[in-house]
Every structure is written in C-alpha cells, then in structure tokens.
Amino acid sequence: MKRQAELRLLDQNLRNELDSALREMEKKYSGSTPFFNIEKLDTKNTDYIFYRPVLYRQNENGEYKYKIIGIIIVELSTKSLVDEISNEVRNTILMAILLAVLVIILGSIGAWILSTLITKPIKKLEKHLVKVGSLMTQSVRERQRLEKEHIEIKSNDEIGRLGEVVNKMTKAAGESAFEEFLQQDGKYVQQQFVPLNDGEGGRKLPICKINNKDIDLFAYYEGDSAVSGDYFDYKKLDDKWYVFIKCDISGHGVPAALLVSVVATKFKEFYYFSSWTKDKNGINLKSFVSSVNDFIFELGTKGKFSTINISFYNSQTGELYICNAGDGLIHIFDSSTRKLNELKLSDTPTAGGFMSDLIEMKGGYKIEKVVLKKNDILYLYTDGIDEAERMMRNENFDVKQTKKEEVRFNRSTHKEETVEQILDLKEQFGQERITAIVEAVLNRKEFLLEKSENPIDEVLRFDFSNCKGTIDESILALAAIERVFRMVKYPDVQKDNQIEIYKMLDDFLRNTFNLYDKYCIPLENDNTENLSLQDIEKQQTLEDPNTTRYSFIQEDKQADDITMIAIKRN
C-alpha cells in the first residue's frame, strides 16, 4: 500500500512537470503580428492578430510525445483605447492650460488690486507734496494758498497717518504765510517811499507815470518778494530841472529793504535838494553819493553795498548830468536812428565798500554829461530784468543740470580740496532781448521770443503793429515778456497751477501775444457759497483788485527785483 502511494505521488509530480513544460512551450511560440509592446502602446498600428499553439502530450509505446492539436487566433484592435487615451491626454492638457491661465488672470487681478491699494495713495501723496513744495518756494502771497491745500487719504494705515501729518503741516505753513502778510506787510510800507500810482482798493500799482509838455516818464517797479532791494524816485526842482535816482541794494529781503529805506530817507531829506538852483548850487551830485556811501560803510554791514545812478535833468535843453556808484551803464533810444544804444559811464566803486576819502584818492565819484535830442528816450533799469532767469529743460520737462568743479579750503584738514557741484542750467533774459523788444515796440514791429532748450516746439510772437509806440508800452512790453519768458506749460498742468499777474500786463499780452489763449487762461471765479464769513473776509484781504490770476500755468521764480525807467524828452 505504501509503495502504491509513492508511485501515485511520483506519477502526479511527473504530470505536473510535463504540464508546466507544455505551458512554457506554448508561451514561447505565442505572439502577435504586428508585435504588440505591452510597455509602449503603438498609436499608429492599432490592429493586431494574437496566436498561441495548443500542445498535447501523448504516450506512444511508453514514450510521451508533444503534438500541436490546434492554434488559438484572436484578432484585436486598440483603436478605441488609443482614441480614449488621446482624448484624456488632450482634455488633461487643456484643463491644465485653462487652470494656468485662470491662475495667471486671478493672480494679475489680485496683484493689480493690491498694488493699486498700496501705490494709489502713495502717488496721490507724492503729487500733493510736489505741489506743496512748489508753493513753498513762491512769494508770501502764493504761500497763503497752502492753507487750503488738503489731501484725502482714506486708508487707516501708515500712509493715511502720514497724509494727516502732511495736511497739518501744509495748513500751518499757509496760516503762517497769512500772518506774515497781515502783520509784516513791509511791501506796503516800502511802497510809500516810491512814487507809485494809486490803484483800486487802496493798493499801489507797480508803475509811476509823468506826462507834461517837456517830459514823459514811465517806470515799472516789482520786487521778487514781499520787500524789495530796489529803489527809484524823482524830484522836480524848478520849472525845468529834475533830479532822478535809481539804486539797487545787494542781497534780498528785509536787510536790503532796510538799506533802501535809508537811501530813500536821505534822498527825500537831503538838504542839497531842498532849495536847489543851478546858479546857486551848481551840479554837485557827488556830495549825495558820498553821503550814502559813508552811511552804509559806517553801519558795518559786511557784504552790503548799493549801486546808485543819480542825475540832474534839464527838460528844456535835454542836458543830463549823471553821477554813478557802480552803475556805469545807461541806454538811450536815438530818435533819428530808431536804435537803442548803450553808453558806458566811468567805472566807479559801489556805495558802502570804502570810505569816501579813500575813494577820492582813487579819483572819486565823477559827474558826466549827456544831451538828449528831441524825442530821445533814456532807459534806466536794475539788473533784475537783464539777469531774469528761466530753467532749461529736456523733452520730459526735467531741469537740465551740469557739473562744476570748485576748489575750496578745508579748515579741518588745512588743505585745498576740489568739490564737485551739480548746478541747474539756466538762461538769462539778457540785454540783447531788451534791446530787440524796445526797438520793436517803438518802431511798431513784432518780436519773436526764443527760448533755449525749450521742450515745446512753438513760436512766441508779440505783434506791436497796433501799438502807439510810447515809452509806456515799451516798459510794459519788457515786464510782460519777461513773465512769458519764465512761464512753463507742463503737459500735466492742472487748474491749481496758477500765477498772479497785474491786469495792465494781462491787457498788454491779450492785445499782442499770439499764444495768449494757451498761456493766459484766466482763473474762473471761485464759488464762495460754502465758505465761512471768516474765510470770505480773509480771501477779500488777500485779493488785489489790480491783479488777475492765470490757471493751468506755472513759472520759474523771479530771480531779483525789477526796476525799469524810461524818460523821454518831448
């Protein structure tokens, strides 16, 4: 029994081995046409025929043999599978692209919203500060507008708090300027020293005008700030003799204005002019110039001096006797040649630099004689008109700059050092323009104002053909064109960008300037319905009825006081 069991087990094992060998042989001879790669699906060949032989073992005469009793053939197509996979891949890629685009769009919108929330108030604050900074450099009257310059930033973060601080500082600066205007109106006091004509509202006009049978005089006087360092005056000594004075104190502001008051007081009260006659007193202007010179010198104000031009004029004969202190140029319009000529006087020291005794040792102040023919015109002006400046700008309206090296002594190292400075490029009005303007007005022609490095391609034409050719018009033309010379029409100029100008200059520009409608846009009357009574009273106090305001325009700051005088022999 035991042996039988062993034999059965052995037989079963042999059968299993034979079956396994048969399966391996079937697998070996199985395949497909074309070859099917299970690891890489062929997207071109999609039709396959799979085959596999069927083997059978048969015992013949005690030996096992293998026979092929059949072949299994299966025809199969993978096209639907390939199409389905391609569709899925395409849909997956498309979905990924859509998701990526959506993420980019949402990210861009989010970034734009975030940047807008952050940068918009910053840009708004920057623009406001630029405007405030521009007003801070202007005159007292202009700075008073700071009180109403307010910026609204609704955010409650650091930028919002910064805006509140800026508003407080701006309002305080405006209030300070208003107080300065009310409490320290030195300009009004100083105007009493100068023979200016009365205007509307108890204000002084910037002009002085005389017309009689022997003489015409027209003068224009405007300081670059509340008080001026320029001074002019005249006295009629008898029925034919006049004395004229023009002076320019060095520096600006209150110190210069105080010295102006000294010169003005001495001129008005100088004993020599009180009872002067030519036969009794002669032509002795040196005593007055020496008196002013010694007074300024004895004050001990370092660096302060005055240029003076004082003259006796005989309105009947045209005789002009001139004494100057550091003011050696006069200009005369020749009525016969119709040209403005420059006349150089003696080179003399300015008043206040040295004692008169020392000046006398060097030749002293001199008296020189000039004779004006009928209809000749004498022009006297301070350097504020020919040295008036405008900034030179590039195509983006940025001020051009240049580098300049300067040697300075370093007190700490006791050595000379070369220091590099960055300077703004400026253009001066210049004597050449003054001459051309005066000749154009008096000859009733036109004048073209050309600006160097002007970012705007434009023709600034002033047509004087409809003028009368008077000295009044020639002085007003100089004053008006000097303002246009400094005007700047920025591309992004706003209504709040304003300048103030005298109505007489506005009228002159309206009648002569070809681009008046572009540059001279009158400011519309502001609505005062919502203002308090205090604000209305303050506004009325600030307004000068003799001036008007232009909006949508800016100008470079007036560099110096301007005094211009024209005297015509009739």
Side-chain angles (χ1 to χ4, degrees):
M1 292 294 292
K2 181 178 181 181
R3 180 62 180 168
Q4 288 180 349
E6 290 176 354
L7 291 174
R8 282 197 298 273
L9 178 61
L10 178 61
D11 181 64
Q12 184 63 41
N13 289 338
L14 288 173
R15 289 176 182 275
N16 290 339
E17 288 179 6
L18 287 173
D19 291 341
S20 177
L22 286 173
R23 285 194 295 273
E24 287 297 326
M25 291 178 67
E26 289 177 350
K27 183 177 180 182
K28 180 178 179 181
Y29 295 107
S30 298
S32 67
T33 180
F35 175 73
F36 181 78
N37 188 348
I38 194 171
E39 295 181 355
K40 185 177 181 181
L41 186 63
D42 193 341
T43 58
K44 294 181 179 179
N45 298 316
T46 58
D47 295 326
Y48 295 91
I49 296 176
F50 294 90
Y51 57 87
R52 183 165 184 165
V54 179
L55 300 180
Y56 179 73
R57 55 182 173 80
Q58 183 176 2
N59 186 352
E60 293 182 359
N61 300 324
E63 293 182 0
Y64 283 99
K65 292 184 179 180
Y66 302 103
K67 289 185 178 182
I68 299 176
I69 62 173
I71 298 176
I72 300 174
I73 297 175
V74 177
E75 187 176 358
L76 183 65
S77 175
T78 61
K79 187 175 185 309
S80 60
L81 178 62
V82 169
D83 291 343
E84 186 176 350
I85 292 175
S86 297
N87 288 334
E88 290 299 325
V89 169
R90 185 169 54 253
N91 292 338
T92 302
I93 294 174
L94 183 60
M95 184 61 68
I97 292 173
L98 290 175
L99 287 174
V101 171
L102 183 61
V103 168
I104 292 172
I105 293 174
L106 292 177
S108 300
I109 293 174
W112 179 78
I113 293 174
L114 183 61
S115 64
T116 301
L117 292 175
I118 295 175
T119 61
K120 187 175 181 180
I122 293 177
K123 290 181 178 180
K124 187 177 181 181
L125 184 60
E126 179 188 15
K127 187 176 181 180
H128 177 76
L129 288 174
V130 169
K131 182 178 180 181
V132 169
S134 176
L135 286 174
M136 288 293 289
T137 63
Q138 301 300 315
S139 64
V140 174
R141 186 180 296 277
E142 293 296 316
R143 293 202 308 272
Q144 292 161 11
R145 294 171 51 203
L146 289 169
E147 188 177 356
K148 295 183 179 180
E149 293 297 333
H150 183 82
I151 182 173
E152 264 190 51
I153 298 179
K154 298 180 180 180
S155 58
N156 296 320
D157 54 10
E158 290 80 359
I159 299 175
R161 290 191 287 274
L162 180 60
E164 293 177 2
V165 172
V166 170
N167 283 333
K168 290 179 181 178
M169 293 175 60
T170 305
K171 184 177 180 181
E175 291 174 347
S176 176
F178 179 72
E179 292 298 323
E180 182 180 352
F181 177 80
L182 292 179
Q183 299 177 10
Q184 302 177 7
D185 191 5
K187 183 176 182 178
Y188 173 77
V189 175
Q190 191 179 38
Q191 285 176 339
Q192 310 312 309
F193 289 100
V194 185
L196 298 177
N197 292 8
D198 293 327
E200 297 180 21
R203 305 291 183 98
K204 290 285 187 180
L205 294 175
I207 63 169
C208 171
K209 186 172 182 178
I210 304 174
N211 295 110
N212 59 43
K213 63 178 183 178
D214 295 324
I215 183 176
D216 286 343
L217 179 146
F218 191 87
Y220 183 87
Y221 174 84
E222 184 171 12
D224 71 326
S225 57
V227 289
S228 171
D230 281 6
Y231 168 70
F232 82 94
D233 203 351
Y234 73 93
K235 280 186 178 182
K236 186 172 183 180
L237 302 173
D238 58 25
D239 58 346
K240 57 183 178 180
W241 284 95
Y242 291 82
V243 59
F244 302 104
I245 184 173
K246 170 184 73 77
C247 83
D248 182 2
I249 306 295
S250 63
H252 303 274
V254 175
L258 290 174
L259 287 180
V260 163
S261 66
V262 170
V263 177
T265 302
K266 292 190 75 66
F267 179 77
K268 292 180 180 299
E269 298 182 355
F270 193 59
Y271 70 92
Y272 183 73
F273 300 136
S274 59
S275 58
W276 181 91
T277 63
K278 185 175 184 299
D279 295 336
K280 181 178 71 172
N281 303 104
I283 306 297
N284 183 16
L285 295 170
K286 294 171 60 174
S287 59
F288 174 79
V289 176
S290 296
S291 173
V292 174
N293 173 75
D294 292 341
F295 187 90
I296 296 176
F297 180 82
E298 290 170 0
L299 283 176
T301 53
K302 294 182 179 181
K304 287 297 176 186
F305 57 87
S306 173
T307 61
I308 298 176
N309 185 303
I310 186 168
S311 57
F312 280 128
Y313 176 65
N314 187 324
S315 60
Q316 294 182 5
T317 64
E319 294 174 282
L320 184 70
Y321 296 91
I322 309 170
C323 183
N324 87 89
D327 190 358
L329 288 179
I330 63 172
H331 296 82
I332 298 175
F333 180 78
D334 190 319
S335 57
S336 57
T337 63
R338 310 301 293 175
K339 296 289 185 182
L340 183 67
N341 302 315
E342 184 175 273
L343 180 62
K344 188 171 182 3
L345 305 176
S346 298
D347 190 10
T348 55
T350 57
F354 307 95
M355 285 296 294
S356 294
D357 292 342
L358 183 59
I359 294 175
E360 284 296 325
M361 293 174 61
K362 297 292 184 179
Y365 296 113
K366 296 178 174 57
I367 298 175
E368 299 168 85
K369 180 181 178 181
V370 177
V371 178
L372 299 181
K373 304 190 303 292
K374 289 282 188 180
N375 296 320
D376 280 359
I377 305 170
L378 170 68
Y379 284 90
L380 303 171
Y381 41 83
T382 56
D383 56 11
I385 180 66
D386 58 302
E387 294 182 4
E389 297 175 336
R390 59 170 286 271
M391 298 295 183
M392 298 168 71
R393 293 173 170 82
N394 60 22
E395 63 277 4
N396 297 320
F397 285 81
D398 298 323
V399 176
K400 289 192 170 185
Q401 295 181 322
T402 185
K403 295 180 181 179
K404 179 182 178 182
E405 291 187 348
E406 185 178 86
V407 178
R408 296 180 183 175
F409 182 76
N410 190 323
R411 294 184 179 180
S412 59
T413 61
H414 301 285
K415 294 180 181 179
E416 288 187 344
E417 297 178 352
T418 300
V419 180
E420 187 177 81
Q421 291 181 302
I422 304 297
L423 303 176
D424 293 335
L425 285 177
K426 301 176 182 179
E427 179 188 16
Q428 290 191 341
F429 196 63
Q431 179 58 48
E432 185 177 346
R433 283 193 180 91
I434 296 174
T435 300
I437 293 170
V438 170
E439 291 179 354
V441 173
L442 297 181
N443 293 312
R444 302 171 66 184
K445 296 182 178 180
E446 69 174 29
F447 170 77
L448 296 180
L449 175 62
E450 297 180 359
K451 300 181 182 182
S452 288
E453 305 292 342
N454 188 8
I456 306 176
D457 185 15
E458 60 186 354
V459 177
L460 304 172
R461 179 183 292 106
F462 299 85
D463 185 2
F464 306 124
S465 58
N466 293 324
C467 292
K468 298 179 181 178
T470 64
I471 61 171
D472 306 29
E473 293 168 329
S474 68
I475 295 294
L476 291 176
L478 288 172
I481 296 175
E482 188 272 338
R483 291 298 296 271
V484 176
F485 177 72
R486 291 187 286 110
M487 288 182 187
V488 186
K489 194 74 172 180
Y490 288 97
D492 57 348
V493 70
Q494 303 295 318
K495 181 180 179 180
D496 289 339
N497 300 126
Q498 302 168 11
I499 65 174
E500 186 178 66
I501 188 169
Y502 282 101
K503 289 181 179 178
M504 62 181 68
L505 300 185
D506 174 56
D507 291 338
F508 189 84
L509 289 173
R510 184 185 297 108
N511 295 326
T512 60
F513 185 25
N514 68 316
L515 296 184
Y516 177 86
D517 292 336
K518 175 183 177 181
Y519 277 81
C520 310
I521 303 174
L523 177 67
E524 299 176 1
N525 293 329
D526 293 332
N527 187 2
T528 59
E529 291 181 0
N530 298 324
L531 294 180
S532 65
L533 180 60
Q534 182 180 4
D535 287 338
I536 293 175
E537 291 176 350
K538 184 182 291 188
Q539 182 172 313
Q540 291 173 345
T541 303
L542 297 178
E543 289 177 351
D544 186 344
N546 304 292
T547 65
T548 188
R549 299 191 72 85
Y550 295 156
S551 57
F552 299 97
I553 193 71
Q554 287 183 265
E555 66 178 357
D556 293 328
K557 189 178 183 301
Q558 182 178 331
D560 201 355
D561 307 317
I562 294 178
T563 300
M564 299 179 288
I565 309 165
I567 303 168
K568 180 183 178 183
R569 180 189 175 190
N570 291 332

